Amino acid sequence: MTQTYNVAVVGATGLVGEAIVELLESRDFPVGELFVLASNESAGKPVYFKGRSIKVGDLADFDFSQVQIALFSAGSAVAAEYAPRAVDAGCVVIDNSSCFRNEPEVPLVVPEVNPERVREHCGIIANPNCSTIQMLVALAPIYRYAGIRRINVATYQAVSGAGRQAVEELARQTALLLNARDVDNQHFAKQMAFNVLPQIDSLDDSGYSGEELKMVWETRKILEDDEIAVTPTCVRVPVFFGHSEAVHLETRDPISALEVRELLQQAPGIEVLDEAQDGGWATPVTEAAGKDAVFVSRIREDITAENGINLWVVSDNVRKGAALNAVQIAELLIREPF
Amino acid sequence: MTQTYNVAVVGATGLVGEAIVELLESRDFPVGELFVLASNESAGKPVYFKGRSIKVGDLADFDFSQVQIALFSAGSAVAAEYAPRAVDAGCVVIDNSSCFRNEPEVPLVVPEVNPERVREHCGIIANPNCSTIQMLVALAPIYRYAGIRRINVATYQAVSGAGRQAVEELARQTALLLNARDVDNQHFAKQMAFNVLPQIDSLDDSGYSGEELKMVWETRKILEDDEIAVTPTCVRVPVFFGHSEAVHLETRDPISALEVRELLQQAPGIEVLDEAQDGGWATPVTEAAGKDAVFVSRIREDITAENGINLWVVSDNVRKGAALNAVQIAELLIREPF
């Protein structure tokens, strides 16, 4: 008989929480009992799992000693308050927020990149930022083969990365504009429909946004390389699901586009879609949304600089960028007693 | 009495042609007689100029000896056929297509960057690509002050850069999707609504797209610097008007973000919008569309590399990226007898 684990999903009514519940089912995670939790205002709502309806429980009242694994996707404030309680109750927490990512004793894990770090947890394992995850799935094979000195990256990030209200704002604004009505901005600082917004998360004194800083230091922590220079510009685009990234690399050793293509074709979690013709590349809508893979396209050598490799990287930000990566961490965790 | 010039606008019914006619009026260009020309199928349509209607003439029948200046925005094939005829008739051609840009004897002019080259024409002056124009307006002051070794740039280009049919396709697809209907792709290789497409123009053997190659060599020609390394990824986004660019620079000499800000604030054609707060930056819809300026935001030093400066550059691709730049070239041309 297969061992099963009681699992709690915290933030179960959000976009990522919903996807976690769906993935636990579709990937046959050995769930004993599933507890779906959220703030008081969502308590009592139904969540569907394996053909039955489970009532959302109030996180504030939950006894974490009932579960072995808790998947958190409820933001930093909730994680800061409840993750330590869960750990004290003997539970392992996999947290999607940025709350613990920078703590030295907390592993920051992308299963395709540094799975071995899962075992070093002290109760909490952090899920990296969505933009970092898909970039590093694509870059890790190149990093191991040729080294990487610099990463210039510009992102094209879907509104779902900002949660359900952001998705609704894009839909609402688009409908209003098509009916020649004025729009207002509730979630975003400026009109999101038919527009691009060059700020994700707040700006600090360096002029970098929070999202950009995450890509800088999460990359260093995951690759365990403090020398790697990451220069991001993070931009929100009017896409519902799927982040894209234009990645320009400077590798340590020379590597050809052909070598990169062969490396990535053999690498886990990657689908290379790179035909030299119209449409021979991946986009958020037509390839990535709803899929597990990180898609890599437009693999080319930099014609103006040595050791330059350019890529286009697309993935479903709610799945591989968040929910799927968290469930994959849980799958690593249960391979051995933990 | 002011000298006037007879002017022909070739491709007058396109998005750029329409904007040229509007700018000739709003900028009080000293037009004697205006001829608006297009292919046979558009002939007879009305174009409005200074309160009166002018009938579109058939380009094939036009006698260019009637005009001193011809502004072409009708694509490379039309330019290749008709621009030499116009030159033979004694006319100066300002061409928006890429047909002549690479010819050594054809000046490639951005009035804020290399206005002096206008005088060296042999009948044809080329207008650079939209993405190149706005990038170089923003970078020329930095180039002159500190030198630039490398430019990594990722673009967020509006559909209007691909013409009226592309604008209609985005509008049509968006409306269909909001009504839960299937979309088909007539202009673009994949769905454009709520999606981003990482190819503009065809791909060559190097894996670069035509649009990317233009940014590489047009930058070198305009700055007259064959050493400058430009690495672009050009991407179409679901925005109607206004191109954006995430630009990461490596300068020759050190320069601070503060120095860049001061330089650009004093530079012609640039509006610096760079407040360290939510929304303190330019976007295509809320700032650039319908405006003349190139907007520069998110000016910051690269925290991981020396001599690194990052910028966000936004401008109306139909105006400064095409029509306005062409009309400004015409304005330079008539300052002295030509």
Side-chain angles (χ1 to χ4, degrees), chain A residues 8-32:
Chain A
V9 177
V10 178
T13 57
L15 288 177
V16 174
E18 270 183 4
I20 287 174
V21 172
E22 184 204 314
L23 287 160
L24 289 172
E25 177 169 344
S26 64
R27 294 173 71 88
D28 277 326
F29 192 89
V31 177

Side-chain angles (χ1 to χ4, degrees), chain A residues 190 199 212 231 281 287 302, chain B residues 190 199 231 281 287 302:
Chain A
K190 301 197 175 186
Q199 183 189 340
E212 289 158 359
T231 302
W281 22 259
E287 282 75 28
D302 190 326
Chain B
K190 300 198 176 187
Q199 182 187 344
T231 302
W281 23 257
E287 282 75 27
D302 191 327

Side-chain angles (χ1 to χ4, degrees), chain A residues 89-238:
Chain A
C91 179
V92 177
V93 170
I94 300 166
D95 181 35
N96 258 297
S97 82
S98 60
C99 183
F100 304 104
R101 287 181 195 154
N102 214 0
E103 303 284 332
E105 76 280 8
V106 173
L108 185 63
V109 176
V110 181
E112 292 85 349
V113 181
N114 61 344
E116 68 284 0
R117 294 294 166 212
V118 162
R119 306 240 64 83
E120 296 166 9
H121 73 83
C122 307
I124 299 177
I125 301 165
N127 213 34
N129 184 268
C130 45
S131 308
T132 311
I133 291 175
Q134 70 180 66
M135 183 171 82
L136 291 190
V137 169
L139 299 193
I142 304 170
Y143 180 80
R144 288 189 202 108
Y145 185 87
I148 296 176
R149 282 184 207 279
R150 289 199 65 173
I151 304 170
N152 274 285
V153 53
T155 69
Y156 302 71
Q157 295 184 232
V159 295
S160 52
R164 199 185 299 280
Q165 287 181 321
V167 169
E168 287 166 359
E169 181 142 315
L170 173 57
R172 183 173 52 78
Q173 288 187 342
T174 306
L176 286 169
L177 288 166
L178 287 189
N179 288 290
R181 305 256 306 272
D182 288 340
V183 302
D184 64 328
N185 309 310
Q186 291 169 14
H187 182 90
F188 293 108
K190 301 197 175 186
Q191 180 185 317
M192 185 71 255
F194 305 113
N195 204 13
V196 297
L197 310 186
Q199 183 189 340
I200 299 178
D201 208 341
S202 56
L203 300 177
D204 85 348
D205 290 344
S206 68
Y208 277 57
S209 69
E211 186 84 355
E212 289 158 359
L213 290 170
K214 286 173 195 166
M215 293 188 83
V216 174
W217 68 256
E218 289 183 12
T219 298
R220 289 179 167 175
K221 177 165 177 171
I222 295 165
L223 295 180
E224 299 172 32
D225 180 351
D226 284 344
E227 302 284 302
I228 196 164
V230 185
T231 302
T233 295
C234 290
V235 179
R236 193 73 74 187
V237 295

Side-chain angles (χ1 to χ4, degrees), chain B residues 5-9 24 29 31-35 67-71:
Chain B
Y5 301 84
N6 292 347
V7 175
V9 176
L24 288 172
F29 191 88
V31 176
E33 192 165 0
L34 182 71
F35 297 88
V67 297
Q68 288 85 57
I69 299 171
L71 295 148

Side-chain angles (χ1 to χ4, degrees), chain B:
Chain B
M1 194 184 143
T2 319
Q3 189 181 349
T4 59
Y5 301 84
N6 292 347
V7 175
V9 176
V10 177
T13 55
L15 288 176
V16 174
E18 270 183 2
I20 287 175
V21 172
E22 184 203 314
L23 287 161
L24 288 172
E25 176 169 346
S26 65
R27 294 174 71 89
D28 277 327
F29 191 88
V31 176
E33 192 165 0
L34 182 71
F35 297 88
V36 288
L37 304 167
S39 63
N40 181 270
E41 62 193 36
S42 294
K45 286 186 184 170
V47 165
Y48 296 92
F49 181 66
K50 295 192 177 173
R52 60 198 185 84
S53 161
I54 304 175
K55 259 193 198 160
V56 172
D58 186 343
L59 173 61
D61 301 334
F62 188 66
D63 173 9
F64 279 96
S65 70
Q66 303 171 81
V67 297
Q68 288 85 57
I69 299 171
L71 295 148
F72 275 63
S73 60
S76 287
V78 171
E81 184 172 355
Y82 290 96
R85 293 195 202 179
V87 173
D88 286 346
C91 180
V92 177
V93 170
I94 301 166
D95 181 36
N96 257 298
S97 82
S98 61
C99 183
F100 305 106
R101 288 181 194 152
N102 214 1
E103 304 284 330
E105 74 281 8
V106 173
L108 186 63
V109 176
V110 181
E112 292 85 349
V113 180
N114 61 344
E116 68 284 358
R117 294 294 166 212
V118 163
R119 306 241 63 83
E120 296 166 8
H121 73 83
C122 305
I124 298 176
I125 301 166
N127 214 34
N129 184 267
C130 45
S131 308
T132 311
I133 291 174
Q134 70 181 65
M135 182 171 83
L136 292 188
V137 168
L139 299 193
I142 303 170
Y143 180 80
R144 288 190 202 108
Y145 186 86
I148 295 176
R149 280 184 209 277
R150 289 200 63 172
I151 304 170
N152 274 285
V153 53
T155 70
Y156 302 70
Q157 296 185 229
V159 294
S160 53
R164 198 185 300 281
Q165 287 182 320
V167 168
E168 287 166 359
E169 181 141 316
L170 173 58
R172 183 173 51 77
Q173 289 187 342
T174 306
L176 285 170
L177 288 166
L178 288 189
N179 289 291
R181 303 258 305 274
D182 288 339
V183 302
D184 64 328
N185 309 309
Q186 290 168 14
H187 184 89
F188 293 108
K190 300 198 176 187
Q191 179 184 317
M192 184 71 256
F194 305 115
N195 204 12
V196 298
L197 309 187
Q199 182 187 344
I200 299 179
D201 208 342
S202 55
L203 300 177
D204 85 349
D205 291 344
S206 69
Y208 277 57
S209 69
E211 186 85 355
E212 289 159 358
L213 289 171
K214 286 174 195 166
M215 294 188 82
V216 173
W217 67 257
E218 290 182 13
T219 298
R220 289 179 165 175
K221 177 165 178 171
I222 295 165
L223 294 180
E224 299 171 32
D225 180 351
D226 284 344
E227 302 285 300
I228 196 165
V230 185
T231 302
T233 295
C234 290
V235 179
R236 194 73 73 187
V237 296
V239 167
F240 287 108
F241 294 95
H243 287 357
S244 308
E245 297 174 339
V247 183
H248 299 174
L249 297 177
E250 182 188 333
T251 59
R252 207 165 282 274
D253 304 320
I255 184 169
S256 71
L258 188 64
E259 288 172 302
V260 171
R261 200 169 288 119
E262 287 173 355
L263 272 178
L264 298 190
Q265 277 164 345
Q266 296 158 18
I270 296 176
E271 198 162 313
V272 174
L273 179 57
D274 193 23
E275 305 296 327
Q277 62 189 29
D278 270 10
W281 23 257
T283 77
V285 166
T286 51
E287 282 75 27
K291 304 285 171 47
D292 289 352
V294 171
F295 292 83
V296 183
S297 306
R298 305 275 339 264
I299 302 168
R300 60 202 192 278
E301 291 157 36
D302 191 327
I303 56 173
T304 62
E306 286 197 3
N307 292 4
I309 288 289
N310 304 330
L311 310 166
W312 174 251
V313 180
V314 190
S315 192
D316 186 324
N317 55 299
V318 172
R319 290 173 72 95
K320 183 57 190 168
L324 174 61
N325 199 74
V327 172
Q328 287 172 320
I329 290 173
E331 290 169 351
L332 287 173
L333 196 63
I334 64 168
R335 282 201 197 152
E336 300 170 46
F338 61 95

